[in-house]
Every structure is written in C-alpha cells, then in structure tokens.
Amino acid sequence: MRAALLQLCASDDPAANLPQTLGLLEEAVAGGAEFVATPEVTNIVSLSKARQDAVLRTEDADETLAALRAAAACYGIWLLIGSLAVRGPQRFANRSFLIGPDGGVRARYDKIHMFDVSIDAAETYNESARYAPGDRAVVADTPLGVLGMMVCYDMRFPALSSSLVAGGATVLSYPSAFSPVSGAAHWHSLLRARAIENGAWVLAPAQTGTHTAAEGEARETYGHSLVVDPWGQVVLDAGTGPGAYLFGLDPEAPAAARARIPALANALPFTSP
C-alpha cells in the first residue's frame, strides 16, 4: 500500500501552518498515497504558554482539524493527524486523530507520557505543566493493519507498545517533535527497537528545524521522519528537510516477521524481583 509521512517545520501560528500542511498533503496524494501521517503538534510548535493560551481552541472549534478532515474526505484517504494541541477542561491535550476517507474521526488518542525532562542546561521541558496526560491506550483498524496510536515520548515506554500489540496492533505510530540532542543519540535506536521487539511497522512523522516564534523562544526539533519495517530495517529516513515522503507498506510483513522469530508467542509469565 502506498503511504506518506509529512515532515513539517511548524511555527507558533496555526493559521500560517495550515496552508503548508495542506500543500504537502496534496503533494502526497498526487504521489499516490492512500494513507498519510503528520507529526506531533501539527497545528503549533511553541514554548510560550501565553501564545498557546491566545491561539489554541477546543477540538470542536479547531480550524486545523476541520480543514484536515475536509481534505481527507475530498481526497478519499486515511489521515493520521499525529497530534494537535487543543484546549481541554483545565489543561491542553496533546491529541492524535485518525481520520477516515469520509472525513470522520475514527479514533482519538491523548498522549499518555508527558515530556518532563532536563536534557541539559539548554533543554528543559515540563509538558505536564500545560498538558493533561491521557490514560487510555488506543488501537484502530486501518487498511495498513491495526494501528496502535502513540505520540513521541511514548516510544520510551515499551510496555505501552506491548499492550497495543497484545490488543492486535501490527502498525505503531510515533508522531514526534523530538529534541535534537536526544534525537541524535536515541531516535533511530528506540524506533528500531520498538519495531523489532513487536514485529510491527513503525511510522514516525516528525517536526524538523528551527520553529518560528512570534512569542517566546524558538524551538528546534530533530526531523528524520522514519519508517521501520517489522524486521527492524529502516525503509525511510526523511533527513531534515520539510516535505511529503512516500513509501510502500506491506500489511503482511508483521505476520512474516513474527513467524521468523515468534518472541511474542514465546513470552512466558514470571515473578518480578
């Protein structure tokens, strides 16, 4: 099946980001993509809470979501909106949306693991101060296979992907806005590990570059949107340029990989120390 990842360099202005996303989506469809995935925080990349307070909307009022749903229906494609920052009852939600070819929302997933880290003196993040974590793992049927929906930092928690695979997932999504420092050290290793241990496709569309900010500090992200097959081979590495990156995906590959090394079937219960 023909699919595509969109690699974006989103700013802190959702209205300015939307035409760029729609343009790359059109490019992907023109290349034959029947399934397209966008990165984490497709609508806004911002380190300023004041800016987020000023421009973010609830799911029902979010213009990016409405436009991307309409585009999916227009093109008749499946669309994984990696995530949107949307208003919640108290804090924001970092929410992933699976859109069907009719434009309907087929599944939602709120990012569970909050990026609360101090990588070094220059990079400190406290995602939980602004975002409410989700508490529910989500799988959904797609033409690619059963999709296990996750977001970025979730890739460091293999118990979550294991739970999704136990629930039937054969494709794992990790839309991301990854730190350049940890990206250079861990991005490829983590995503290949999740593919290998689960015998699953891994799709990781990413933000990239220096993100223009009208308010606050400009953020930088790692890029390198990645597709890894169930045997752990990198099928696509998008490098650092924004764009629409197409690839082929065989829905039968997970079963073949799991038959070659049946680690999932061989797992045994044990008593923890």
Side-chain angles (χ1 to χ4, degrees), residues 170-188:
T170 56
V171 182
L172 303 173
S173 60
Y174 294 102
S176 297
F178 223 72
S179 151
V181 175
S182 60
H186 300 152
W187 174 254
H188 289 77

Side-chain angles (χ1 to χ4, degrees), residues 4-8 10 17-18 20-22 24-26 28 35-43 64-65 68 71 77-84 94-99 150-152 173-177 203-207 225 243-245 247:
L5 303 185
L6 303 189
Q7 184 156 278
L8 305 178
N17 295 330
L18 180 57
Q20 299 176 38
T21 304
L22 290 172
L24 290 177
L25 180 60
E26 182 179 10
F35 183 104
V36 180
T38 74
E40 183 180 23
V41 287
T42 289
N43 57 339
T64 301
L65 177 59
L68 291 177
I77 62 166
W78 287 82
L79 176 62
L80 175 65
I81 305 173
S83 83
L84 300 175
N94 193 342
R95 184 167 296 159
S96 187
F97 296 88
L98 178 66
I99 311 301
M150 289 171 283
V151 176
C152 201
S173 60
Y174 294 102
S176 297
L203 311 182
Q207 296 281 354
S225 294
Y245 294 89
F247 62 97

Side-chain angles (χ1 to χ4, degrees), residues 43-267:
N43 57 339
I44 179 173
V45 175
S46 175
L47 293 173
S48 168
K49 187 175 187 301
R51 179 64 174 171
Q52 291 172 317
D53 279 330
V55 300
L56 292 186
R57 303 290 181 260
T58 62
E59 177 182 323
D60 290 343
D62 188 87
E63 294 182 1
T64 301
L65 177 59
L68 291 177
R69 289 182 62 184
C74 175
Y75 296 131
I77 62 166
W78 287 82
L79 176 62
L80 175 65
I81 305 173
S83 83
L84 300 175
V86 295
R87 286 190 174 277
Q90 296 176 325
R91 288 175 282 175
F92 305 129
N94 193 342
R95 184 167 296 159
S96 187
F97 296 88
L98 178 66
I99 311 301
D102 60 354
V105 177
R106 300 295 180 91
R108 296 170 177 82
Y109 165 71
D110 284 2
K111 183 178 181 181
I112 291 174
H113 297 103
M114 298 288 96
F115 194 49
D116 294 346
V117 304
S118 295
I119 297 172
D120 56 29
E123 284 196 86
T124 299
Y125 303 92
N126 187 19
E127 192 174 18
S128 63
R130 303 180 190 182
Y131 292 88
D135 60 5
R136 185 173 63 93
V138 176
V139 297
D141 289 324
T142 79
L144 302 181
V146 179
L147 178 68
M149 299 172 68
M150 289 171 283
V151 176
C152 201
Y153 192 46
D154 286 332
M155 75 179 66
R156 294 186 181 271
F157 300 87
L160 178 56
S161 59
S162 295
S163 173
L164 293 167
V165 168
T170 56
V171 182
L172 303 173
S173 60
Y174 294 102
S176 297
F178 223 72
S179 151
V181 175
S182 60
H186 300 152
W187 174 254
H188 289 77
S189 297
L190 286 168
L191 292 170
R192 290 190 67 207
R194 297 295 83 82
I196 292 166
E197 68 198 7
N198 291 298
W201 285 97
V202 162
L203 311 182
Q207 296 281 354
T208 189
T210 301
H211 302 271
T212 304
E215 295 184 36
E217 181 183 353
R219 185 178 173 188
E220 293 187 7
T221 55
Y222 182 63
H224 291 277
S225 294
L226 216 64
V227 176
V228 186
D229 74 15
W231 195 244
Q233 301 301 305
V234 174
V235 171
L236 168 68
D237 182 335
T240 58
Y245 294 89
L246 286 99
F247 62 97
L249 187 151
D250 178 5
E252 303 302 322
R258 292 171 185 181
R260 292 174 74 183
I261 299 184
L264 298 176
N266 291 345

